[in-house]
Amino acid sequence: MDIRKARLYLWRECGGPMDDVPILLNLLMQVGLVEAEGTWLRLSKEGRKVATQDHRTGGKHLGLALIRSGIFAAQVSRLLEVGKVDSSRSLVCPAELAISVAPQLIGILRRFGQAVSLTNELNVSADLVTEMGDVWSLLPPPVTPEADHRKDMGNRGELYSYRYCRLAADDPAKVRWVARDDESLGYDIEDLNFVPKRRIEVKASAEKVVRFFLSPNELEVARRLGDAYEVHFWGGVSLKAPVKGEFDRLTKDGYPLVFRGLATLLTSGYLSAIPTQYLVTRSDGDDRNVQQSDTIMDIQ
């Protein structure tokens, strides 16, 4: 269907403001239920399944599509952190706490019938916990095509390191993707399986040459934490590749490259850091001055 016809059709079916229709279409494409080809839209394979079979399952197909798309990635992460997994591998969490950290996700989970119960406690079956805990469900949806793709590249690298650390951990629940909630820490992932806990800054690039940028805050934190701070570098990353398949390929190729004790590596000359940005200002008089800003360090 032509996109203009699709917008009119959705407007008539939903009865909402016309301004909401493009938002709905973008969401359907992010979730992978609708595919765009030029000015034409069509249902994907998953979209056809939702359209034709979802009513038979009480909305489970749509619920899984939403969870797997990453739309609720932040809420999934918070719920898994505040909940507890019992001996049967089911998730248990006080209902009030669960709703406070993942309100929309709880609404989606209630589509799964007997697999989820919500009274004073939220109980989620082991199979559904496994589905939510699969890290591929935690990748945020891509930014708009017009935006800089660096955020998408960073999210993908962080997801890969999160997966990598969880696979190697004695207790995967102690691996936390902290940058999802606070980007000012100077690192992206915490691994509490170690004493002192490891802090991991993740860098991803389409190129395989080891070259990445380090902010002044990241450099300061690296110096303060010493050997407890490391950088993971993922090279040859493609935003067009399916994440699971690419993760398997990259780890087979030896990624991530791990630079543990970054400050020591810089001091020893194993890695070099070059200031690459300056702030140039001019005073009100004739004098001119050049001040070094919060300089971004180019690490090679």
Side-chain angles (χ1 to χ4, degrees):
M1 184 180 292
D2 180 79
I3 190 169
R4 289 169 295 183
K5 286 187 176 180
R7 287 176 176 174
L8 185 60
Y9 175 81
L10 285 172
W11 173 68
R12 287 172 175 167
E13 286 293 310
C14 300
M18 181 60 82
D19 290 346
D20 286 353
V21 173
I23 299 172
L24 175 57
L25 278 175
N26 285 336
L27 179 64
L28 292 173
M29 287 187 279
Q30 285 181 8
V31 173
L33 301 180
V34 171
E35 298 171 338
E37 190 171 313
T39 61
W40 291 81
L41 301 176
R42 64 184 177 195
L43 287 177
S44 66
K45 181 179 180 180
E46 185 65 25
R48 291 191 202 97
K49 179 191 284 188
V50 171
T52 59
Q53 302 176 32
D54 202 43
H55 64 283
R56 303 175 193 167
T57 64
K60 291 181 183 178
H61 287 320
L62 179 58
L64 285 175
L66 290 169
I67 290 172
R68 290 169 177 170
S69 73
I71 293 293
F72 294 106
Q75 293 189 27
V76 167
S77 179
R78 294 190 192 104
L79 183 60
L80 292 176
E81 286 182 5
V82 301
K84 294 182 179 180
V85 176
D86 62 20
S87 57
S88 67
R89 308 301 297 170
S90 297
L91 180 76
V92 180
C93 184
E96 186 175 347
L97 179 58
I99 293 171
S100 70
V101 300
Q104 288 78 27
L105 176 63
I106 299 304
I108 295 299
L109 292 178
R110 297 185 75 174
R111 292 172 171 260
F112 290 86
Q114 295 182 349
V116 177
S117 66
L118 182 64
T119 53
N120 292 332
E121 281 188 333
L122 171 70
N123 283 269
V124 182
S125 71
D127 289 343
L128 195 49
V129 171
T130 299
E131 185 71 50
M132 290 194 303
D134 194 328
V135 299
W136 317 126
S137 299
L138 300 177
L139 182 66
V143 297
T144 59
E146 297 80 13
D148 195 322
H149 76 282
R150 286 179 297 179
K151 182 64 175 174
D152 289 337
M153 184 69 73
N155 284 335
R156 188 172 282 227
E158 290 173 25
L159 175 76
Y160 290 164
S161 283
Y162 181 67
R163 169 75 166 178
Y164 180 82
C165 292
R166 283 173 62 90
L167 287 174
D170 292 334
D171 184 354
K174 291 184 177 180
V175 178
R176 297 178 179 175
W177 190 350
V178 293
R180 298 295 303 274
D181 299 315
D182 188 349
E183 295 183 347
S184 67
L185 296 172
Y187 52 88
D188 303 307
I189 294 169
E190 284 183 348
D191 190 342
L192 279 66
N193 287 281
F194 295 84
V195 179
K197 62 184 177 182
R198 287 165 55 193
R199 279 84 153 196
I200 302 163
E201 173 63 24
V202 184
K203 304 295 181 181
S205 173
E207 304 296 329
K208 293 187 176 181
V209 175
V210 178
R211 183 175 182 272
F212 55 86
F213 291 96
L214 201 69
S215 72
N217 183 47
E218 291 164 357
L219 183 58
E220 179 184 348
V221 174
R223 288 170 173 163
R224 174 165 51 84
L225 296 178
D227 289 343
Y229 187 96
E230 64 189 57
V231 169
H232 285 189
F233 177 81
W234 298 86
V237 176
S238 170
L239 295 178
K240 295 182 179 180
V243 288
K244 187 178 185 305
E246 183 173 60
F247 174 82
D248 293 339
R249 175 180 65 81
L250 290 176
T251 52
K252 185 178 180 180
D253 289 345
Y255 290 102
L257 303 182
V258 179
F259 300 99
R260 186 164 299 150
L262 181 68
T264 302
L265 295 177
L266 290 170
T267 302
S268 68
Y270 181 80
L271 295 175
S272 62
I274 306 169
T276 59
Q277 291 187 10
Y278 294 84
L279 173 65
V280 180
T281 64
R282 191 179 77 172
S283 62
D284 292 337
D286 293 334
D287 293 336
R288 295 174 181 175
N289 60 73
V290 179
Q291 298 175 335
Q292 185 169 330
S293 69
D294 288 340
T295 307
I296 304 296
M297 309 298 289
D298 184 6
I299 306 297
Q300 300 176 329

